Amino acid sequence: MEDSLLCTEMDAEEGCQRDSRSTQGFWDHMTFRSITSVMNRGLTKQLDFNDLLLLPTDMDPSTCHDKLLNCWQDQQNNSCSNTSFLGAIFSAYGGPYLRLGLLKVFNDCIGFGGPLLLNKLIRFLQQGSGSLDGYFFGILLGLVSVIKSFSDTQYTFHLSKLKLKLRSSIMTVIYRKCLYVSIAEQSKFSEGEIQTFMSIDADRTVNLCNSFHDMWSLPLQIGVALYLLYTQVKLAFMSGLAITIILIPVNKWISELIASATEKMMKQKDERIRRTGELLAHIRTLKMYSWEILFSRWLMDTRSLEVKHLTTRKYLDAWCVFFWATTPTLFSLFTFGLFTLMGHQLDAAMVFTCLALFNNLISPLNSFPWVINGLIDAFISTRRLSRFLCCSEKKSKVEQAAKFQPIFSNDQSDLVSKDMAVVMHDACCTWSSSNEDQNFVLNHVTLSLPNGLLVAVIGEVGSGKSSLLNSILQETRLVHGSIYSRGSSAYVPQVPWILSGTVRDNILFGKNLDSQRYKDVLQACTLDVDISLMAGHDLAYIGEKGTNLSGGQRTRLALARAIYQDSDVYLLDDILSAVDAHVAKWILHNAILGPLMEHKTRILCTHNVQAISSADIVVVMEKGHVKWVGNSADLAVSVYSGFASVNEFDTSSYIHSKLYSTNPSNMGKQSLLMEKNTDDIQLEAEEVIEAEQRKEGTVELIVYKKYAGFSSWFIAVVIFLSAILMQASRNGNDLWLSYWVDTTGSGQAKYSTSFYLLVLCIFCIINSSLTLVRAFSFAFGGLQAAVQVHNTLLNKLINAPVKFFDQTPGGRILNRFSSDLYTIDDSLPFILNILLANFVGLLGIAIVLSYVQVLFLLLLLPFWYIYSKLQFFYRSTSRELRRLDSVSRSPIYASFTETLDGSSTIRAFNSEDYFLARFTELVAQYQITSYSELTASLWLSLRLQLIAASIISFVAVMAVIGSRGNLPISFGTPGLVGLALSYAAPIVSLLGSFLTSFTETEKEMVSLERALQYMDVPQEELHGFQSLNSGWPFQGVIEFQNVTMKYMPSLPAALNDITFTIAGGTQVGMVGRTGAGKSSILNALFRLTPICRGQILVDGLNIVDIPVRDLRAHLAVVPQSPFLFEGSLRDNLDPLQMSNDMKIWDILEKCHIKEEVAVAGGLDAHVKEAGTSFSVGQRQLLCLARALLKSSKVLCLDECTANVDMQTASILQKAISSECIGVTVITIAHRISTVLNMDNIFVLNQGTLVEQGNPQALLQDDSSIFSSFAKASTI
């Protein structure tokens, strides 16, 4: 019965809590009652997003986004030259913000009620009059504290709500900008920089809200305090003030130095995050090259520069802390010293009113430099954001024309719009956004493509095929001429962009589901077979960048997405090269030429012979010019001789003659056998991406121990001791003052004034020197920890197996290296320092109060009980909320990073609104956790302040009762009572800030906990007992003996008991349908995935016995997706500096890329991020050159000729044949022509070897699987 009652009560409470805030009563609103139901649940279970408070309607991210965006656009329209993001923020949120200022004024003024009432109370005690005024003052003192605590929490609540609105609007505005800015415009900023805008600059701009009001409020508080001091000690306060004023320019100078160090640090941080992102994105390739150590070393160099600036900043901070912490003691020494030297008598009321006023002064004086720093940071950040937001956005689809170029005349444009799909008139385009760099990727191109035709764009590697498509999509910058495209477009890039989400999400791309069309599309792209094999079918989850799909599946998925959109113009960039011959043929006939796309305009960049011969129009590109346009029948005899490369046509006619007798039913069987194949890396949906872990319960003690260990235990002990001694000297200083007041007050001064002053002086010096020790040892310890954490984390991640990276989204790991590491670098030591100061401060106060008023000890126990109950109730929820906060923050960054990669695809599909809505939902979830966190912390803060108010009333009233002599215990002298009261007053802020800093420390420690979590990742088996000779492998004999390999224990084997031997110096081709296990053979050979059974021998050595990095360093590989990183071209080709320039040029010539490299600026040319300065085909050639430079006896080529044209492909084959005499070459190929001249062919299916032999012999055998493959690949 009791249980059910409890439940209904909980439900009722929950019901009213989920209701909107408007239904709350005034009292509930003032006391933050709405959060209690969340806290009750937080005590009993792990909180979830559904348990949190509902967002008030005005805090909805889409509302906030529209508000800020409109203001920003007004700014841009009104002032062309000088648009300021700060101005836009002010016009969006300035009104309510300024109204909050009035509450702030009331708040500040009521703060001075305390010291004035204290003065009255002590005067009353000194006179010892019998009236009831004492009680009145005592109770009033408590009442003022109560009013202050209510107005304080309300101000913070409304200010923080405003900050949350601002944060969500800035985030969504930045995200929207990324969606609308073309690649050429975006090239002004590196990816790391754009990510910093979202993660750090947004937060700094939001902190402007605090700093801006503090800019006028702090001087106001300081001014009032100084005036009240003047009323107490006349002009003596000037000496104390002089000290403070001398320190102001010093602090300003320090804060300027801090600002410049911060800006330099942020630059290095951007670069480090970019490098980390690059490392994580290409970790699989880096491991195959055995370059991960090299990359991490480069990353460490950037990090050490960042730490250098961080060090400057931290030590300057330490000086700041020292100056501000010593100010109050110096203040009291100089003020009272001068006052007594002027011949005045010190009395209790005056001294302790002054001390209370000093206490009121400390906080504004202390926070002033931080406020200035915050303002400087915010101004820097808003300037950075303004620069980004001023980028011009992609224009509407109507027409894009260079400003100074006459557009078509009207009648002509009418003619254009009816039957032309794409018209380019004398167009010059460049990838660069600046006017200086006129490196045209399209040079005076004039081209008209009619509606509804299939257009094949062909040309050598780097001839401008992809640039042509990007120019039609307006991704390049049009410098001259005009480009027009009609209707909607759909785009499949050469490197397909896959969304992390379900297969269905990827295909629908925000459109509604039309099940018949959906089914047809899947069939046309042969995805139906793959999907039927996935766990969860089309609701199977795909990891970031499509990690759990093979290359061919990614391309087909991207194609399916394009077809489903039912657009007018399809731009397909080299989609047939990523799939094998069977599939390519199917896609060509059923998708590109099929009923779904029949009457659409299809522009296809390709090297595929069948596609070219099926095209209505062929466009031949060469070095950014259109060299020839016509139909495919005229092509063979035309300009483009390369197309009719003897090699390709001969082999195809040769295959024809051999195969025409092939029995069609036999062929059907074989293609069925191929179709039934499982996918290579088909990890099951549920297991691909592990959900981000959240720890439960308190942050464990071990985390704090680890932190102390990182910063060194010796430093930790020094810090702790200096803090305790510093507090002791400070309390000693105050006790000595009260002793002095009492002895002189009673007229029985034992010592001379100069002696009292001397002791005060000694206390002051001890206090200052201990403060200095504490500040610097803290800065040193924090830096040690920052360096240690980063290095350990990086080393652990570098040594993690590839499987870990496949299962963990890069954004999640990057989050550890950006925001979590920023916390460990910067805010964690800062908060810990405050926590320590608060802790020893409270300890000092408790000891002094107990010494002065014994009865205070009686109050201490119940008070401690209530306090611990409150904080326990709060902390269990606050930790959960902070963890939810971290978990809800990760998807924002992951989604942002992902969108940056695929922004051109999103723009091509016109899906900007859909993605903005998706992102807004993620921000809304982040808002909800932050809003609940805020309400919870204010709930606590209010209750603590009320407890402190009752302590003050208690001490005051007991003192009044004691002075009347009604109690058996005497309450000491007015001096001690004054001391007790001046100590009780700051208890309010100290208790609150102790708990805040404690919970903040716990929250910040979550960052360390998250970093530690990745320090426990599984490690690769790096060591082996077999040391290698530098020339190994000598022959290059590779033996697989009964090898079975699984990507996960629960999955079917990717290689199934496979046995074969590759003789040294032979060239072997691996063929098979997508997912037959071709790439798995390389994964096993390079030990990227450990094998379950069997063994692999290279030159008779079992590769398990060889240290894994040595093994990879001795084998050469050209990966499936070409990889170039930002840096010089020489570093890209030969990062370990093993070859001289002569050798490099020689290899480049053999790979037919020497000319392009020379044009780009030689070996010292700067390669842009991800190698975007070269086309995909050129990148592939550079990767081949890199592999040949290694001159290993084993060379593995993973579909490396997929993205190059026939002519280049045959040249490459020749280069490989001539360069690699005596080298074992393993080629994974989709094009049959690439493997026809090999010594041996392995046909794989479902991870088993189904056929092997000489390609020519297999071709002649009509029943062989290989011959059916070859048949499919011909026209």
Side-chain angles (χ1 to χ4, degrees), residues 164-182:
L164 288 181
K165 287 187 209 174
L166 182 58
R167 181 181 71 184
S168 76
S169 44
I170 291 176
M171 279 180 152
T172 44
V173 165
I174 294 173
Y175 183 82
R176 181 193 163 279
K177 194 72 189 180
C178 289
L179 288 177
Y180 283 97
V181 172
S182 72

Side-chain angles (χ1 to χ4, degrees), residues 112 219-234 237-238 240-241 244-245 331 357-358 361 365:
F112 289 105
L220 173 79
Q221 291 177 44
I222 293 169
V224 174
L226 291 178
Y227 170 72
L228 294 175
L229 275 175
Y230 169 73
T231 59
Q232 295 297 321
V233 288
K234 301 292 175 285
F237 87 93
M238 293 299 278
L241 183 62
T244 320
I245 287 175
F331 209 120
L357 287 169
F358 289 159
L361 260 180
L365 284 177

Side-chain angles (χ1 to χ4, degrees), residues 275-346:
R275 285 222 149 139
T276 311
E278 197 167 56
L279 178 84
L280 295 173
H282 301 291
I283 187 79
R284 176 181 285 272
T285 314
L286 289 175
K287 280 185 176 293
M288 288 177 97
Y289 283 145
S290 182
W291 281 1
E292 65 270 48
I293 294 293
L294 176 78
F295 260 66
S296 68
R297 210 170 12 208
W298 288 346
L299 187 60
M300 296 292 243
D301 293 344
T302 316
R303 171 68 175 168
S304 59
L305 282 173
E306 183 190 356
V307 169
K308 190 179 111 187
H309 298 307
L310 182 70
T311 309
T312 314
R313 190 184 148 152
K314 285 289 168 201
Y315 285 144
L316 288 168
D317 273 352
W319 277 113
C320 261
V321 168
F322 165 68
F323 285 137
W324 289 120
T326 51
T327 309
T329 35
L330 287 176
F331 209 120
S332 60
L333 172 70
F334 278 74
T335 306
F336 297 138
L338 188 62
F339 191 66
T340 46
L341 293 176
M342 282 160 69
H344 297 288
Q345 192 74 34
L346 286 181

Side-chain angles (χ1 to χ4, degrees), residues 1073-1267:
R1073 190 178 177 278
T1074 309
K1078 304 186 295 285
S1079 297
S1080 298
I1081 285 192
L1082 292 193
N1083 282 346
L1085 179 61
F1086 280 84
R1087 286 179 58 192
L1088 290 178
T1089 307
I1091 56 177
C1092 323
R1093 277 202 306 280
Q1095 55 178 4
I1096 303 172
L1097 307 178
V1098 176
D1099 274 6
L1101 288 183
N1102 188 340
I1103 61 169
V1104 179
D1105 304 335
I1106 303 170
V1108 73
R1109 288 203 175 113
D1110 287 358
L1111 170 73
R1112 291 170 188 162
H1114 282 83
L1115 306 176
V1117 65
V1118 180
Q1120 190 170 358
S1121 37
F1123 158 62
L1124 295 179
F1125 52 87
E1126 188 167 327
S1128 76
L1129 194 54
R1130 182 185 282 101
D1131 281 348
N1132 266 284
L1133 292 170
D1134 182 27
L1136 301 165
Q1137 292 158 355
M1138 310 285 271
S1139 314
N1140 58 15
D1141 285 10
M1142 272 264 297
K1143 188 176 173 189
I1144 296 178
W1145 281 114
D1146 184 41
I1147 295 274
L1148 287 175
E1149 190 165 12
K1150 285 175 179 150
C1151 293
H1152 297 270
I1153 184 113
K1154 184 176 179 180
E1155 261 182 67
E1156 286 85 345
V1157 169
V1159 170
L1163 295 179
D1164 294 320
H1166 183 73
V1167 178
K1168 284 194 194 146
E1169 209 163 353
T1172 44
S1173 23
F1174 292 97
S1175 74
V1176 178
Q1178 288 171 330
R1179 280 179 243 168
Q1180 203 61 286
L1181 295 179
L1182 287 168
C1183 287
L1184 179 65
R1186 180 194 287 160
L1188 293 178
L1189 272 173
K1190 208 169 186 180
S1191 53
S1192 161
K1193 274 279 188 262
V1194 176
L1195 172 62
C1196 303
L1197 307 172
D1198 192 351
E1199 295 172 7
C1200 75
T1201 55
N1203 295 315
V1204 296
D1205 58 276
M1206 293 300 175
Q1207 192 182 13
T1208 315
S1210 66
I1211 290 169
L1212 276 179
Q1213 286 312 122
K1214 284 179 190 150
I1216 292 168
S1217 308
S1218 62
E1219 268 298 296
C1220 302
I1221 296 166
V1223 173
T1224 308
V1225 181
I1226 302 175
T1227 305
I1228 290 177
H1230 280 147
R1231 282 195 192 145
I1232 296 297
S1233 59
T1234 14
V1235 294
L1236 281 175
N1237 303 327
M1238 303 262 158
D1239 304 318
N1240 215 342
I1241 289 286
F1242 291 174
V1243 182
L1244 296 176
N1245 183 40
Q1246 295 198 358
T1248 53
L1249 184 60
V1250 288
E1251 190 172 272
Q1252 67 170 332
N1254 181 287
Q1256 307 298 344
L1258 288 175
L1259 274 182
Q1260 291 167 29
D1261 175 2
D1262 295 341
S1263 61
S1264 73
I1265 299 173
F1266 181 66
S1267 65

